Amino acid sequence: FSWILLASKETKSLREELLTTDSISEWTPGGPQQEGSSRNTSLFLELLESWFHNPVSALALCLSAQQYELATELTARLAAFEPTPHLLRQLDQLVHL
C-alpha cells in the first residue's frame, strides 16, 4: 500500500487524525511497543516520505512523533525557502495546533 496514492481529501483527514490523536507514540519509532519497533519505524518512514511534498506536514509529523532531531533539520531547510503566503499560513496553523 502506498500512502502517496491517497487522494488529497483523504490525506488531509488522515493527517488531522494522526496529529490530534493521543496514541501517536504507539506507531512511532521508540514507541511503547518495543517488539514492533522496526514495524513502527517502517510505518513512520512511509508516512514521512509521503508527507515530504508538504514540508509543514512533515514537520508536524516529526514533532508529534517526538523526532526532534529530524524536525530541527527540516526547520533549517525550511528557513532556506522564500516564504510564500501559503507556507506562512500553514506554519501559523501548525503553531496553533
Side-chain angles (χ1 to χ4, degrees):
F1 183 79
S2 176
W3 289 96
I4 198 133
L5 297 177
L6 293 174
S8 176
K9 182 179 178 182
E10 293 167 322
T11 302
K12 182 178 179 187
S13 297
L14 176 63
R15 180 180 66 229
E16 289 174 2
E17 179 67 27
L18 289 174
L19 295 179
T20 57
T21 184
D22 291 334
S23 62
I24 194 167
S25 64
E26 292 178 9
W27 55 265
T28 57
Q33 300 174 354
Q34 293 302 326
E35 68 276 356
S37 63
S38 65
R39 194 173 120 215
N40 294 346
T41 300
S42 177
L43 177 59
F44 173 76
L45 292 175
E46 282 188 44
L47 284 172
L48 185 62
E49 182 181 352
S50 66
W51 286 11
F52 269 137
H53 74 280
N54 184 326
V56 177
S57 292
L59 176 61
L61 180 64
C62 290
L63 291 172
S64 296
Q66 299 177 356
Q67 298 298 310
Y68 301 121
E69 289 180 27
L70 186 54
T72 301
E73 180 66 30
L74 284 172
T75 302
R77 291 177 185 234
L78 261 176
F81 290 120
E82 182 68 33
T84 63
H86 182 68
L87 177 63
L88 292 174
R89 196 168 32 259
Q90 287 184 321
L91 287 169
D92 184 59
Q93 289 173 346
L94 176 61
V95 168
H96 287 98
L97 182 63

